[in-house]
Amino acid sequence: MTAQSLQQVPSGQDIIDAQNRIAPYIHKTPVFTSKAFDAMSNKSCLLKGEHLQKTGAFKARGAMNAVLIHKDSAQVSGFITHSSGNHGAALAWAAGQIGAPAYVVMPSNAPQAKIDAVKEYGGIISFCEPTLKDREHTAAELQNATGALFIHPYDNYDIIAGQATATLELLQEHPDLDWLFIPVGGGGLLAGASLANYYFGKAKVIGCEPSNADDAYQSFNSKTWVPVTKPNTIADGLRTSLGVRNFPIILNHVSDIILLSEEELENAWHICLSRLKQFIEPSAAAGIAAALKHHSTGKAGIILCGGNMNTLQFALR
Amino acid sequence: MTAQSLQQVPSGQDIIDAQNRIAPYIHKTPVFTSKAFDAMSNKSCLLKGEHLQKTGAFKARGAMNAVLIHKDSAQVSGFITHSSGNHGAALAWAAGQIGAPAYVVMPSNAPQAKIDAVKEYGGIISFCEPTLKDREHTAAELQNATGALFIHPYDNYDIIAGQATATLELLQEHPDLDWLFIPVGGGGLLAGASLANYYFGKAKVIGCEPSNADDAYQSFNSKTWVPVTKPNTIADGLRTSLGVRNFPIILNHVSDIILLSEEELENAWHICLSRLKQFIEPSAAAGIAAALKHHSTGKAGIILCGGNMNTLQFALR
């Protein structure tokens, strides 16, 4: 039986189906705890290690789900996407799992580690200017030339259902979470997390966004979609605007969006390295920073969304 | 029944006893694997995460073992040691577990993160010049003044038996290891690992040492104890000379000692961050560097010995 691409907001069953579909390919990631971090945040925190996921980010979940759904129709012509990095690597990896080609349009300022990862997984890269418009234009041209199926990095219900499985997994182990702190860029992870929690949890879901890329915060509070302008944040995975499919889900199922300064993000990144000994990318520090900043108690889930960044800037000698 | 301090090389039963004694206090640490790292090293590698151990290093094992053995006699007067850092923090932590004071003599050039850790666990610090002679002198004076029991960081059979439990744990899960790559500084971890493997494994044990602090290599190959002179390595935990109790154990039960350049150590540290996403201290890179350098195949155990280092030198902005 061929799976159908989702045409509407994923149901609880859609998320369960995605989990079963991708289970043979992805890691069930470990959950980290730290007494020192609990004391700092005044909460009992469970940090889901998606930086240890295949391709080093949760993006493997959504990409694998989308690729498997379209396996029959797209195995030969392949898949295409535009991505600042983690989704591109994830799509290249996922396509490789079924022997399909993957074309990835990347902004010219993408981190080298993310470019290398796409190459390593066999992705075919085309560079573009770092604007959404140029990304989409380059991707459309390439799509016409190759006949490949476009898989949007976040504005896609199959992707959202796939990303939701990270939170589903955490809730299956810890159904009694009071809070979920979830980074938000395009909103794939946050929309998925808020849906998984709506169907299977009881937490309040807090989106975690850099002040310097605060479109989700502005959109959420004005209830009107506002695009990001000149994002200038170390959290390179969170520089994108909310997807139009993601925004209403977030409006319906997210409790609040908390803004983090660059200093708070960097401080949280250092705490993760020094206390949890986990090497994450700056975007993954957003959940940690928010848990530290948010005045609350109880049991909190935090998604460490990825671990892909250049390390060569960190010299020991 | 009061436990007795070991007066001779630990037996297999002594190591089992240590494991049972410290089990309620320490973490059973996770073992990491990476297909990418296996491909690079041409081996199937199991990396034991002692950087996730209590106090951020395997040293918690030995210190807890020694402290529990002397609980009845030293609970009031306390414990004393000299340490470049991780043993000091571990002893402070272990003493704290039974409500005893801990005095720690530290070299003035110890990393700030290690100084902070000793303080955090309630240790009482005295600084000394960064020479073995001054360390020992300062410790002896303090010992006279306080009546505290001196626990040597590595040249002590109770400590060796405690450190051996890290390898014992790994061998209990993976008894068929062909190789064990173990960092060597004073030789507590390496002596313990080689004993655990002698009693419970079948691996060849390879000591992993910086070229710039190659006393164990020289001692091992000349079969004569040679002290370290002017160690100049980023692996700050491996700058010490072999202990006199450790050396004969290593001579008897270690197959070889491999030397690593500073470049190889730094490269291995970067690989651990970028591939395994584990944040380790430079000393812990020695096992990784050796596994990459050693021409061998099969199943290899590597001990990631610690994760305590300053992170503030790594700026994101």
Side-chain angles (χ1 to χ4, degrees), chain A residues 256-270:
Chain A
D256 202 0
I257 294 184
I258 189 169
L259 292 179
L260 292 322
S261 71
E262 295 300 291
E263 189 180 356
E264 287 167 336
L265 291 170
E266 176 155 4
N267 181 47
W269 182 84
H270 283 287

Side-chain angles (χ1 to χ4, degrees), chain A residues 32 35 51-52 54 56 120 234 262-263 266 269-270 273-279 282 307-309 311-317, chain B residues 32 35 51-52 54 56 120 234 262-263 266 269-270 273-279 282 307-309 311-317:
Chain A
F32 295 88
K35 283 187 185 172
H51 64 306
L52 302 179
K54 292 280 183 186
E120 184 182 325
I234 55 173
E262 295 300 291
E263 189 180 356
E266 176 155 4
W269 182 84
H270 283 287
L273 268 59
S274 62
R275 294 298 177 158
L276 292 151
K277 317 292 184 196
Q278 297 305 299
F279 188 69
N308 296 322
M309 72 180 294
T311 67
L312 293 178
Q313 63 186 294
F314 308 135
L316 296 183
R317 289 179 292 151
Chain B
F32 295 88
K35 284 187 185 172
H51 62 307
L52 301 180
K54 291 281 182 186
E120 185 181 326
I234 54 173
E262 295 299 290
E263 190 179 357
E266 176 155 5
W269 182 84
H270 284 289
L273 267 59
S274 62
R275 296 298 179 158
L276 291 150
K277 317 293 184 197
Q278 297 305 299
F279 187 70
N308 296 323
M309 72 181 293
T311 67
L312 293 177
Q313 62 186 294
F314 308 136
L316 298 183
R317 290 178 292 151

Side-chain angles (χ1 to χ4, degrees), chain B residues 246-315:
Chain B
N246 311 70
F247 178 44
I249 298 173
I250 289 168
L251 261 187
N252 284 336
H253 301 296
V254 168
S255 292
D256 202 0
I257 293 184
I258 189 169
L259 292 180
L260 292 321
S261 71
E262 295 299 290
E263 190 179 357
E264 287 167 335
L265 291 171
E266 176 155 5
N267 181 47
W269 182 84
H270 284 289
I271 287 171
C272 189
L273 267 59
S274 62
R275 296 298 179 158
L276 291 150
K277 317 293 184 197
Q278 297 305 299
F279 187 70
I280 57 170
E281 59 186 87
S283 302
I288 295 172
L292 290 169
K293 187 173 191 175
H294 196 255
H295 292 288
S296 54
T297 57
K299 198 168 172 181
I302 298 169
I303 304 229
L304 301 177
C305 55
N308 296 323
M309 72 181 293
N310 287 342
T311 67
L312 293 177
Q313 62 186 294
F314 308 136

Side-chain angles (χ1 to χ4, degrees), chain B residues 56-79:
Chain B
F58 72 94
K59 298 270 186 178
R61 296 174 181 270
M64 198 71 237
N65 191 43
V67 161
L68 288 173
I69 284 172
H70 295 288
K71 185 179 174 186
D72 292 344
S73 59
Q75 196 160 19
V76 175
S77 49
F79 298 88

Side-chain angles (χ1 to χ4, degrees), chain A residues 221-282:
Chain A
N221 286 299
S222 67
K223 297 187 167 40
T224 310
W225 184 85
V226 179
V228 74
T229 48
K230 298 188 182 165
N232 178 23
T233 172
I234 55 173
D236 58 279
L238 309 182
R239 290 178 189 149
T240 43
S241 298
L242 274 188
V244 297
R245 287 168 187 76
N246 311 68
F247 177 45
I249 298 173
I250 288 168
L251 262 188
N252 285 335
H253 300 297
V254 168
S255 293
D256 202 0
I257 294 184
I258 189 169
L259 292 179
L260 292 322
S261 71
E262 295 300 291
E263 189 180 356
E264 287 167 336
L265 291 170
E266 176 155 4
N267 181 47
W269 182 84
H270 283 287
I271 287 171
C272 188
L273 268 59
S274 62
R275 294 298 177 158
L276 292 151
K277 317 292 184 196
Q278 297 305 299
F279 188 69
I280 58 171
E281 58 186 88

